[in-house]
Amino acid sequence: MEAPPDRFNLVYITFVIHGIGVLMPWNMFITAIEYFTDYKLSASYIHYDFPYIPTFMQYLTFCAQIPSIILNYTNIFIQIGGNLTTRIVWGIGIEIVVFIVTILLGMINTSEIPYVFFYSTLFLVVILNCANGVYQNTVYGMAAKLPGKYTAAVILGNNVSGTFTATVNLVSKLSTPSIKMAAIYYFISALFVLLICFDTYFALPLNRFYRYYDLKDKKERRLAPMPSGAVQKPPYLKIFKQSFPQLLNVWLVFFVTIAIFPAVQSGILKSDDNFFVPDYIYVNLMCFMTFNIFAMIGSCLPAFFVWPSPKFLWIPVTARIVYIPLFLLCNYQVKGIHRVLPKLINNDYVYFLLSASMALSSGYLSSLGMMYAPRSVEDRYAPTAGMFSAAALITGIFSGIVIAFLWPWVIGHVGA
C-alpha cells in the first residue's frame, strides 16, 4: 500500500515543534547566563564575590548533560516510564513544573542565600534534564520510523529552539531594564512552548501519514525472523556497528560545537569600540543569535541538497576541529582570570564570520549524520539506530562541556 501524503506538512511541522521542545531546557538556561552571573550571583546582589562565577556556565551545562546522557543510553535498552505516551507526558509535565519553580526562584529575594540558590538551580537543571533525556530520545526514535527528512525536522527544530530562545532573551532584555523581570518573562515563554509540544503529540496518531509508518514499523517488527519462544529484542551490537561511522560523525560535530558554544563564545567581548553592536547586547547578538540563526539555516540545507555521501562525511566533520583554537585566539575573557594567551583575532567582523561558518556547518553536518545513521541499518531497526544517534548527540555535547572546563586555564597559563 502506498504511503498517504503528509498533507500541509503537518507531521513535519509537528516534529519541528518537538525539536524545539527537546532543546528548550538547554537553551533557556544557557542563554540566561547573565541572569545568574550578573544578577542573582553578582557581587552587587550578594555583596561578595561568588567563587563559582568564572566556571558557572560549565557547572550548569555539566549538570544538564550528566542525567541526559545516562537516560538517553538507558532508554535505548529499557523503555523508562512505560509506553510512548507515558514517557512523553511525564517528560513534558516534569519540565513544566521545573520551569514554574525557576520562575518562583526569580521572584523571591535570594541575596542572603546565594549557595542555596546556586545548588537549587543545579538540582532543578538535573531534574529537568532527567525528564528531557527520556523525552529527547523518544522523539528521535519516533522520527526514525519516518523518511529521513523527519529526523532532519527534529534537528531543524533544535536550531529553531536556539534562535527562539535567543530572540526572546533579547526582546525581554530590551523591553525592560530589570534583569529580574526580563528573566521571568523569558522563562514563562518556555511554558507556552512545552504546552504546545504536549498538545501536538496527541494529534500525531490522528494523522494518516504518521499512522501508516507507525503501523509499518510495528508490522516489520512483528514479522522479523526470530527463534521460537525468544523475546523480540533488536540486535543492539549489530545496529551499533553498522551505524557507528555516522554515530562518530554526530559525536564529533557536537563535540566541536559545544567545546566552543556557549562556553567560549559567551565570553568573547567586543574588540573594536567603534563596532556597531552595543556592548550590552554584544554577546546576545554575536554569540547566541548568530549561532542559532546560522545553525538553523544549516539544518534546512539538506532539504535542498545532500553532500557529501555517508562514506565521506567524516572529512568536513573532522576539519571543523580547527575552530577550537581559532575561537580561543579571539577576545575571549573570563571573570577573575588574567589572560596571557595572545589575542590574534581582534576584528569583530572576522569573529562574526567564524561564528557564522561554525554554526552553519554544525547545523548542516549534524543533520546529515542524524539522517544517515537510521538509513545505515535495516528499516525495522531504524528507530533503534535513531536512538543511538540521539545518544551520540548527547555524548558529543557532554564531551564538549567537559573539555570546555579547560579553556579558562588555557588562556590564563598558555602564552608569554
Side-chain angles (χ1 to χ4, degrees):
M1 181 179 174
E2 188 177 348
D6 182 8
R7 297 190 64 187
F8 308 112
N9 286 315
L10 290 177
V11 175
Y12 185 87
I13 293 170
T14 298
F15 278 100
V16 170
I17 291 171
H18 281 276
I20 295 172
V22 297
L23 275 197
M24 183 63 66
W26 160 265
N27 284 316
M28 280 289 171
F29 275 89
I30 64 170
T31 309
I33 183 67
E34 292 178 355
Y35 161 71
F36 297 106
T37 59
D38 295 347
Y39 174 53
K40 280 290 191 176
L41 299 174
S42 67
S44 60
Y45 186 72
I46 66 173
H47 309 302
Y48 67 92
D49 292 328
F50 196 71
Y52 297 120
I53 287 291
T55 52
F56 179 80
M57 179 66 82
Q58 284 87 340
Y59 279 108
L60 188 70
T61 50
F62 185 83
C63 288
Q65 297 309 316
I66 279 288
S68 189
I69 192 172
I70 292 173
L71 289 170
N72 258 277
Y73 277 103
T74 304
N75 199 42
I76 295 173
F77 308 102
I78 304 172
Q79 291 190 353
I80 300 172
N83 61 33
L84 197 67
T85 300
T86 303
R87 282 179 280 163
I88 294 287
V89 169
W90 275 100
I92 296 176
I94 290 172
E95 291 181 23
I96 289 172
V97 171
V98 169
F99 272 110
I100 291 173
V101 176
T102 302
I103 292 168
L104 293 176
L105 281 176
M107 292 179 174
I108 64 176
N109 182 2
T110 59
S111 60
E112 301 297 325
I113 49 170
Y115 280 95
V116 173
F117 174 78
F118 175 72
Y119 288 113
S120 296
T121 298
L122 296 185
F123 176 73
L124 288 173
V125 167
V126 169
I127 297 300
L128 187 69
N129 284 275
C130 282
N132 196 60
V134 176
Y135 174 38
Q136 183 180 50
N137 191 277
T138 304
V139 167
Y140 277 108
M142 290 166 57
K145 299 176 184 178
L146 309 176
K149 76 172 189 176
Y150 291 87
T151 299
V154 181
I155 298 292
L156 172 60
N158 291 167
N159 293 306
V160 171
S161 174
T163 305
F164 172 79
T165 52
T167 303
V168 171
N169 187 38
L170 182 61
V171 170
S172 61
K173 181 181 289 188
L174 294 174
S175 63
T176 174
S178 169
I179 297 179
K180 172 183 175 180
M181 292 309 301
I184 290 172
Y185 296 152
Y186 174 68
F187 287 123
I188 286 175
S189 67
L191 296 178
F192 289 103
V193 173
L194 291 172
L195 289 172
I196 292 171
C197 291
F198 190 88
D199 290 339
T200 55
Y201 167 73
F202 288 101
L204 269 180
L206 304 178
N207 185 283
R208 290 179 62 241
F209 175 83
Y210 179 79
R211 281 207 312 272
Y212 170 85
Y213 282 99
D214 187 40
L215 292 173
K216 179 184 176 183
D217 176 70
K218 290 176 181 176
K219 182 178 179 180
E220 288 174 346
R221 288 170 179 268
R222 188 170 62 250
L223 298 179
M226 54 187 295
S228 177
V231 178
Q232 186 176 0
K233 286 186 177 181
Y236 294 112
L237 184 59
K238 177 184 176 182
I239 295 169
F240 179 78
K241 285 181 177 179
Q242 290 178 345
S243 58
F244 179 75
Q246 304 310 324
L247 300 182
L248 187 60
N249 286 330
V250 170
W251 172 81
L252 187 53
V253 169
F254 282 94
F255 167 75
V256 172
T257 298
I258 302 304
I260 300 165
F261 174 84
V264 174
Q265 279 194 274
S266 63
I268 294 179
L269 305 179
K270 187 161 70 172
S271 297
D272 183 358
D273 291 336
N274 296 319
F275 189 62
F276 69 95
V277 178
D279 289 344
Y280 75 102
I281 58 171
Y282 184 85
V283 171
N284 293 90
L285 287 179
M286 299 292 284
C287 170
F288 294 106
M289 191 67 75
T290 298
F291 175 85
N292 288 303
I293 288 175
F294 281 92
M296 180 176 64
I297 293 171
S299 61
C300 291
L301 294 180
F304 303 99
F305 62 88
V306 175
W307 181 88
S309 65
K311 184 178 179 180
F312 297 104
L313 182 61
W314 68 271
I315 297 174
V317 167
T318 305
R320 293 182 75 250
I321 294 175
V322 73
Y323 279 119
I324 295 177
L326 288 176
F327 275 90
L328 290 176
L329 293 173
C330 292
N331 189 22
Y332 170 47
Q333 304 290 341
V334 178
K335 292 179 181 178
I337 293 179
H338 174 68
R339 178 180 176 125
V340 297
L341 183 72
K343 291 181 287 184
L344 301 182
I345 300 176
N346 293 306
N347 188 300
D348 293 293
Y349 291 100
V350 173
Y351 166 54
F352 171 77
L353 290 175
L354 280 175
S355 300
S357 61
M358 190 276 287
L360 190 73
S361 61
S362 179
Y364 179 67
L365 297 175
S366 63
S367 294
L368 290 187
M370 296 295 288
M371 288 170 59
Y372 288 157
R375 308 307 154 204
S376 60
V377 300
E378 298 173 48
D379 287 346
R380 66 176 182 269
Y381 300 139
T384 304
M387 290 184 176
F388 270 121
S389 59
L393 183 158
I394 294 297
T395 307
I397 291 175
F398 177 73
S399 304
I401 290 167
V402 172
I403 198 70
F405 275 95
L406 186 62
W407 307 145
W409 180 90
V410 168
I411 67 166
H413 294 82
V414 177

